[in-house]
Amino acid sequence: MRIWEPLVEQRVRKLPPIFPVVFYHGRRRWNAARRFGELIEWNGAAALQKYVPEFECFLCDLTTYAEEEIKGGVRLRVALLLMKHIFSREIGSRPAEIFRLMKSWPKARALEYLGTIAQYLRYGSPHVSAENFRAGLVALFSRKEGEKIMGSFVDEWVQEGIQRGLQQGLQQGLQQGLEQGLEQSLEQGRQEEAAAFALRLLRRRLGKSKVDAEMQERIRALSVAQLEELGEALLDFRSLDELTAWLRKHTEKRS
């Protein structure tokens, strides 16, 4: 919809096709509907089916792919293999064979990517230990280099993430942290989406030129609840003054 909406505003004659893809790598195989029509109860209304868009998506379920089926460049293959195994217990034995894929890379490039991998393993799985990660480094570099790197750029991750976490209940702590982080991210995403939607409606209602940058910032600062109220109220706005008055009233109410 975000791709099509600006084109509609530009009054293009026909919209371009969009290929919808869902990429999935969860703990279980995907079993949700892939067509919008499958979410509707058609009993007694089968004649209406042809009037409802299907909106079928292409599903890429990584859990169904064998490792030899995962193709592409090294960076892509490493990322996909980590994502494929991140929720399984066997991820602990995987770093060595996955890291070996990066052997042809310059050391500086490998080290840079390993920083990202370390963070992903630290927060994504309770089944990777310091020894698992060390074995991966030794497989990628020499034993001497692997031990040296382990003691330098991974030291903070090991001390704060794994070693201390295992002693204090890492799995529970990480789970709580991930849940809190996810909740905050979702709330922020809802707020940004609601603000963008309200701004689109206001531009259509009042005109693009009237909703200036300052006004946009004030709207983006509103909470999700306030944005929902604004979405209902703006249908009655006839001028910029009404929007300004509404914002003044609700900003004062919030403060």
Side-chain angles (χ1 to χ4, degrees), residues 3 35 56 63-64 74 91 104 113 139 162-163 180 202 229:
I3 296 172
R35 297 182 179 88
E56 181 178 359
T63 65
T64 65
V74 171
I91 185 64
S104 61
Y113 198 28
I162 292 185
Q163 291 178 343
Q180 292 172 359
L202 284 168
E229 291 181 34

Side-chain angles (χ1 to χ4, degrees), residues 145-204:
E145 284 182 314
E147 293 291 344
K148 182 179 179 181
I149 295 168
M150 186 71 182
S152 57
F153 99 100
V154 188
D155 186 58
E156 182 180 349
W157 173 60
V158 173
Q159 291 180 2
E160 295 183 4
I162 292 185
Q163 291 178 343
R164 185 187 64 181
L166 288 173
Q167 296 169 1
Q168 300 176 354
L170 173 65
Q171 187 169 0
Q172 180 180 359
L174 282 181
Q175 184 66 31
Q176 291 175 349
L178 286 169
E179 289 175 355
Q180 292 172 359
L182 179 60
E183 184 176 352
Q184 292 173 357
S185 297
L186 289 174
E187 181 63 22
Q188 181 181 355
R190 285 194 292 267
Q191 193 276 339
E192 292 174 354
E193 182 72 20
F197 184 65
L199 285 169
R200 288 200 296 271
L201 292 178
L202 284 168
R203 291 190 190 102
R204 292 190 179 184

Side-chain angles (χ1 to χ4, degrees), residues 78 82 99 102 113-122 133:
V78 169
L82 288 170
F99 289 6
M102 298 187 288
Y113 198 28
L114 282 169
T116 301
I117 293 173
Q119 291 297 318
Y120 183 56
L121 292 175
R122 172 185 173 186
F133 200 82

Side-chain angles (χ1 to χ4, degrees), residues 73-79 81 95-105 139-140:
V74 171
R75 190 182 186 94
L76 177 63
R77 290 170 63 199
V78 169
L81 286 171
E97 62 182 89
I98 294 176
F99 289 6
R100 285 193 188 98
L101 295 174
M102 298 187 288
K103 264 189 170 295
S104 61
W105 282 5
L140 177 55

Side-chain angles (χ1 to χ4, degrees), residues 18 32 43 54 96 100 104 108 112 126 145 156 189-190 227 231 235:
I18 296 174
N43 287 342
E54 280 294 346
R100 285 193 188 98
S104 61
E112 181 182 357
E145 284 182 314
E156 182 180 349
R190 285 194 292 267
L227 287 166
L235 297 176

Side-chain angles (χ1 to χ4, degrees), residues 9-67:
E9 293 180 359
Q10 296 168 23
R11 300 184 182 279
V12 298
R13 296 186 63 184
K14 290 189 177 182
L15 298 174
I18 296 174
F19 182 54
V21 179
V22 172
F23 179 79
Y24 175 76
H25 73 116
R27 289 181 171 84
R28 301 178 180 85
R29 289 194 176 185
W30 180 277
N31 61 3
R34 290 168 50 193
R35 297 182 179 88
F36 182 76
E38 294 176 12
L39 303 175
I40 298 175
E41 178 57 68
W42 294 109
N43 287 342
L48 299 178
Q49 282 186 263
K50 65 180 181 179
Y51 300 108
V52 176
E54 280 294 346
F55 292 119
E56 181 178 359
C57 67
F58 175 82
L59 175 65
C60 180
D61 186 351
L62 194 57
T63 65
T64 65
Y65 283 75
E67 290 194 6

